[in-house]
Amino acid sequence: MNLYEEYIESVIQLAKDAAYDDRFDEAKRLLEGALYEEPGYAKVHARLGDLYHYDYENKELAIRHYELAIRFYPDYQEVYQELVTIYQDQRNYVKLKRLLKKALGVKALDPVFLYEKLGMAEEGQGHYKEAIGWYRKCLQ
């Protein structure tokens, strides 16, 4: 890790500490400053996504930052899981299926988890035959 990455990581840690102490505006300011310095740093987008998802409860901005994190680091396992949670809560099965099919190419993700969620998405849309197919893949 070079000196610049260490700086960005330290800002992320300061933001985590601020959020832990319920200083959400300070955490947001720190992360936005880090994005100004390095707009393509996936971990900053992921952390902002978490902040909007859990602390500000702004799902649209959370989704935006999670999607940017995946754009800059396509194998970001935790971000896929966060997006799956949001899309499931919103019952947005079209976006959920699109995300899960993309996630099938990510080696770090558990395929059984993905198959199960694909089955749930198909079931949520009333596509029971397809859902059964995904559930069977879970069992293999």
Side-chain angles (χ1 to χ4, degrees), residues 67-125:
E67 287 175 346
L68 285 167
I70 289 173
R71 177 187 294 167
F72 294 117
Y73 181 51
D75 292 345
Y76 210 138
Q77 177 182 358
E78 294 84 8
V79 174
Y80 281 99
Q81 293 169 340
E82 295 296 340
L83 273 172
V84 164
T85 300
I86 291 174
Y87 289 149
Q88 272 187 307
D89 290 347
Q90 293 178 336
R91 299 181 196 274
N92 190 336
Y93 300 119
V94 172
K95 284 188 177 182
L96 178 59
K97 288 192 310 187
R98 188 178 318 130
L99 175 71
L100 290 167
K101 288 178 182 177
K102 179 180 179 178
L104 286 171
V106 178
K107 292 180 183 175
L109 291 171
D110 179 12
V112 173
F113 167 80
L114 299 174
Y115 297 148
E116 176 188 13
K117 298 300 180 185
L118 278 162
M120 292 171 76
E122 293 291 1
E123 188 176 348
Q125 289 184 298

Side-chain angles (χ1 to χ4, degrees), residues 2-134:
N2 65 34
L3 187 60
Y4 192 68
E5 287 179 25
E6 286 180 26
Y7 164 73
I8 297 291
E9 290 292 329
S10 69
V11 171
I12 292 169
Q13 187 57 52
L14 287 171
K16 282 183 181 179
D17 294 343
Y20 182 77
D21 292 334
D22 294 335
R23 298 187 328 262
F24 305 122
D25 291 337
E26 180 182 342
K28 180 181 161 198
R29 183 183 53 76
L30 286 164
L31 292 168
E32 287 173 344
L35 278 184
Y36 181 77
E37 295 289 326
E38 185 57 52
Y41 207 84
K43 197 170 182 181
V44 175
H45 283 289
R47 190 60 207 124
L48 264 170
D50 290 344
L51 194 66
Y52 283 118
H53 185 185
Y54 295 106
D55 302 317
Y56 287 111
E57 296 184 16
N58 184 332
K59 303 298 186 221
E60 289 76 26
L61 282 175
I63 289 168
R64 172 108 171 102
H65 283 287
Y66 287 145
E67 287 175 346
L68 285 167
I70 289 173
R71 177 187 294 167
F72 294 117
Y73 181 51
D75 292 345
Y76 210 138
Q77 177 182 358
E78 294 84 8
V79 174
Y80 281 99
Q81 293 169 340
E82 295 296 340
L83 273 172
V84 164
T85 300
I86 291 174
Y87 289 149
Q88 272 187 307
D89 290 347
Q90 293 178 336
R91 299 181 196 274
N92 190 336
Y93 300 119
V94 172
K95 284 188 177 182
L96 178 59
K97 288 192 310 187
R98 188 178 318 130
L99 175 71
L100 290 167
K101 288 178 182 177
K102 179 180 179 178
L104 286 171
V106 178
K107 292 180 183 175
L109 291 171
D110 179 12
V112 173
F113 167 80
L114 299 174
Y115 297 148
E116 176 188 13
K117 298 300 180 185
L118 278 162
M120 292 171 76
E122 293 291 1
E123 188 176 348
Q125 289 184 298
H127 305 151
Y128 301 113
K129 186 175 181 180
E130 292 85 353
I132 290 169
W134 288 114

